[in-house]
Amino acid sequence: MLSRETGTIRKAHAGRFRVALAFPNTYAVGMSNLGFQTAYRLFNATDEVVCERVFLPPRQELIAAGRSAPGERLVTLESQTPVSDFDMLAFSVSFEWDYTNVVAILRLAGLPPRASDRNRHHPLVALGGAVTFLNPEPLAPFVDVVCVGEGEVLVPDLVRTLAAGGDRRALLESLASRPGMYVPSLVDVRYDADGRVAGFAPVEGGGASVPVRKAVTPTSELLDPPATVVFTPDTELGSRLLVEAVRGCARGCRFCWAGYNYLPVRAFDADRLLRIAAAARAHASRIGLVSIALCDHPEIERLLGGLRAMGYGISPASLRLDELTAPIVAALRDSGERSITIAPETGSDRLRRVVNKAITNEAILERASLAFEGGIENLKLYYMIGLPTETDDDLVAIRDLTAAIRDRMLRHGRGRGAAGRIAASVNPLIPKPGTPYQWWPMEAPALTERKMKRLRQLVSGLDNVHFTIKSERHSYYQAMLSLGDRRVAAAVEAAERNGGQWRAAVEEAGLDADWYACRDRSGDPLLPWHVIAGGVRDDYLRAQAPAPTPR
């Protein structure tokens, strides 16, 4: 793999603080992750630090590892050095389903998974990534420090503190006093008689304070736009330049964790983005513009025009249809893009108002026609089911809106002699920490399954449309991980041991998954993730959505 990379950073180990940066999934997935690439750049920006990468081995190697001889250990990519020899093992984690892989990497590296079982001879284990913005508690027993917030702020402070050296306990206490640094071993959690979180108590003399405030940079002027550092064809996206164009979104959709947790909204300067693209043009012919609100960039049309002038093929993230314009469509089409992704979320205007997504079916159809007229041939649609107040009429509305979009696609396609295709993805709502729905119960899996069956029947006759409807059981355990406390760590360990059999893992851990995923939390004194201060006040979040009602 190294022989096919461009941009790999290599440094001698002698005299440097050594960081093994782990992505808890395979190389192909990890190297497609912009947050992971950014962490690699940030750690290596300091000359006194050497940072090398480590990934989860492919499945066949994992199976072989279960039969390997004692003493064989996971090694880093750059120098093939055992992970256990490094000063720090830093995880960049974006998705709940990678939690078991965190445990797997610790085990394969020869490290005790639980932080309480490790000592001064083991690397310090740090956790960063998107999950730290939400709820790090299910992973808290496995790590020494959680870096809460944006890496641009946290990585330099983390490195300075640890590179100074010293007793392990003293280092943890020093970290606990720093902005955005959460040391779980220095914070005790109290539970009430019903099992709910009743309080967080800093360990006496440990230097910690709760809640831990998320570290953010208020303006993009102080940030280098995150962009691909290492180019390789061996990723999910191929040799593509990824660059972040806008951070955050101000729309306030009530289900959207990213919209609330990446505030304030910050657009990166178009000229800086174009300079990055120009420098990378020798290594990439396509560019992926990473954002949850790309069209919010104040100079989006100039940015797209500049990228087209360089000969880039442009792949945007999901687009907001209410801000789609003819020049944007033209720039995408001229770059070779024939598909775009949009997220209606539901098929009815009524339910869209419930979740605070301010676009109507009429506007969706108008902008879809604009896209098809401009040469876009295919659409990917994202829908959710299990939203508050949802009825059967809302399921029918998903079918009807999709059919109406399909009809416009076919009408424009006939003129080109190409029919086009719609791919629709449907996922159950998972209430997310840090959003107005954090107190809401997830819909019971049995009810979700009935709705999925009904929706499959409704859309079965739609030609040129392919629906992917996600498993309700898959989402159910994802909700447990998203909304869980430290006690869920036992189920994570068990699932890693048994190959992802979550029902058995939950039973082994003695947990009630329903209690975590499908319970009304509006009366809870505290929530597990309240150990973190995410920046948006709970009284504001409560005002954005009514209290849960029985379903």
Side-chain angles (χ1 to χ4, degrees):
M1 287 183 289
L2 280 174
S3 64
R4 291 162 62 84
E5 289 187 348
T6 301
T8 312
I9 301 171
R10 293 180 174 86
K11 296 180 182 180
H13 286 212
R16 289 188 167 97
F17 184 78
R18 299 187 298 170
V19 178
L21 177 63
F23 190 87
N25 210 304
T26 61
Y27 176 90
V29 177
M31 291 305 293
S32 301
N33 186 279
L34 185 55
F36 179 76
Q37 292 244 11
T38 300
Y40 183 65
R41 171 178 62 84
L42 291 170
F43 276 116
N44 277 308
T46 303
D47 184 62
E48 292 77 14
V49 175
V50 54
C51 176
E52 299 183 349
R53 295 162 292 157
V54 62
F55 302 92
L56 188 75
R59 180 173 175 79
Q60 60 272 23
E61 293 183 25
L62 277 174
I63 294 171
R67 301 189 295 268
S68 63
E72 292 186 15
R73 294 288 185 255
L74 195 64
V75 297
T76 56
L77 190 63
E78 283 82 354
S79 68
Q80 301 294 293
T81 301
V83 170
S84 57
D85 289 352
F86 282 73
D87 300 303
M88 181 168 67
L89 171 58
F91 284 96
S92 177
V93 185
S94 300
F95 310 107
E96 292 95 346
W97 283 121
D98 284 340
Y99 288 4
T100 54
N101 295 338
V102 170
V103 177
I105 285 177
L106 288 167
R107 177 176 57 80
L108 291 169
L111 306 178
R114 295 261 176 169
S116 58
D117 296 326
R118 297 194 293 268
N119 57 42
R120 63 185 180 86
H121 299 294
H122 297 119
L124 204 74
V125 177
L127 172 67
V131 298
T132 68
F133 285 73
L134 294 170
N135 177 21
E137 286 300 272
L139 290 178
F142 307 122
V143 301
D144 296 298
V145 59
V146 180
C147 302
V148 183
E150 297 177 343
E152 293 92 346
V153 181
L154 293 164
V155 168
D157 201 13
L158 177 67
V159 167
R160 278 193 300 269
T161 303
L162 295 180
D167 174 79
R168 191 183 190 91
R169 170 77 180 203
L171 284 175
L172 292 176
E173 291 177 359
S174 179
L175 285 171
S177 69
R178 306 298 301 160
M181 300 293 182
Y182 167 40
V183 179
S185 63
L186 298 181
V187 178
D188 291 328
V189 183
R190 293 185 291 105
Y191 302 95
D192 65 17
D194 295 322
R196 303 175 302 176
V197 173
F200 304 99
V203 172
E204 186 175 351
S209 61
V210 289
V212 177
R213 298 201 171 276
K214 180 176 67 178
V216 298
T217 304
T219 171
S220 62
E221 294 176 4
L222 302 176
L223 303 174
D224 290 325
T228 299
V229 177
V230 178
F231 294 90
T232 171
D234 300 319
T235 76
E236 290 187 324
L237 302 175
S239 292
R240 182 176 303 189
L241 170 64
L242 299 178
V243 61
E244 187 175 12
V246 182
R247 185 171 297 182
C249 176
R251 295 305 193 281
C253 297
R254 293 182 174 121
F255 55 83
C256 181
W257 72 266
Y260 285 95
N261 284 278
Y262 283 109
L263 292 172
V265 179
R266 289 149 292 171
F268 290 96
D269 178 72
D271 289 326
R272 295 172 71 189
L273 296 171
L274 290 171
R275 285 196 293 271
I276 289 171
R281 185 63 183 85
H283 311 301
S285 59
R286 297 200 64 81
I287 184 168
L289 296 174
V290 178
S291 171
I292 55 174
L294 179 61
C295 292
D296 281 355
H297 197 289
E299 295 186 278
I300 182 61
E301 292 182 8
R302 184 168 78 85
L303 176 60
L304 295 177
L307 295 173
R308 280 301 307 125
M310 295 179 201
Y312 270 107
I314 304 169
S315 299
S318 179
L319 295 170
R320 287 188 59 88
L321 279 184
D322 52 346
E323 294 191 348
L324 195 65
T325 65
I328 292 174
V329 172
L332 295 176
R333 178 204 61 211
D334 292 347
S335 80
E337 192 70 16
R338 292 295 179 264
S339 301
I340 61 174
T341 300
I342 63 173
E345 311 300 355
T346 182
S348 73
D349 292 347
R350 180 201 68 81
L351 193 50
R352 225 172 277 118
R353 287 192 296 271
V354 168
V355 301
N356 200 36
K357 193 172 182 79
I359 188 171
T360 64
N361 283 351
E362 180 180 2
I364 290 172
L365 293 172
E366 176 188 332
R367 291 302 197 279
S369 293
L370 175 69
F372 295 135
E373 288 170 2
I376 297 298
E377 298 172 4
N378 311 301
L379 279 184
K380 184 170 185 179
L381 308 176
Y382 283 112
Y383 291 114
M384 290 191 292
I385 59 174
L387 293 167
T389 77
E390 184 179 73
T391 68
D392 186 70
D393 288 344
D394 296 305
L395 302 182
V396 174
I398 290 176
R399 188 271 314 275
D400 292 346
L401 176 61
T402 306
I405 294 173
R406 187 274 313 264
D407 290 346
R408 283 159 175 74
M409 177 187 72
L410 294 178
R411 187 160 58 246
H412 290 287
R414 278 193 290 269
R416 296 190 299 266
R421 188 168 179 80
I422 291 174
S425 177
V426 183
N427 297 278
L429 170 68
I430 297 175
K432 288 291 186 178
T435 72
Y437 289 152
Q438 65 182 355
W439 295 279
W440 280 73
M442 184 181 181
E443 191 171 74
L447 177 55
T448 303
E449 175 57 29
R450 289 198 295 272
K451 288 184 178 181
M452 288 178 168
K453 183 178 180 180
R454 166 72 167 146
L455 188 57
R456 289 188 185 99
Q457 293 170 341
L458 287 169
V459 303
S460 62
L462 287 180
D463 294 332
N464 295 87
V465 177
H466 175 72
F467 266 83
T468 300
I469 302 178
K470 194 173 180 181
S471 161
E472 89 292 345
R473 186 58 55 175
H474 182 279
S475 299
Y476 171 72
Y477 290 115
Q478 185 181 350
M480 181 190 73
L481 295 174
S482 179
L483 302 166
D485 52 42
R486 291 187 186 185
R487 295 169 293 188
V488 170
V492 175
E493 285 180 296
E496 191 275 330
R497 284 194 303 270
N498 71 19
Q501 302 300 310
W502 279 98
R503 180 176 300 195
V506 167
E507 286 185 10
E508 180 183 330
L511 300 177
D512 180 352
D514 271 355
W515 189 84
Y516 286 104
C518 302
R519 179 174 60 87
D520 174 0
R521 289 171 289 278
S522 58
D524 285 21
L526 287 170
L527 299 171
W529 48 93
H530 280 156
V531 72
I532 304 298
V536 181
R537 293 169 57 91
D538 271 1
D539 55 359
Y540 175 81
L541 295 176
R542 283 189 183 274
Q544 293 301 302
T549 53
R551 299 201 195 187

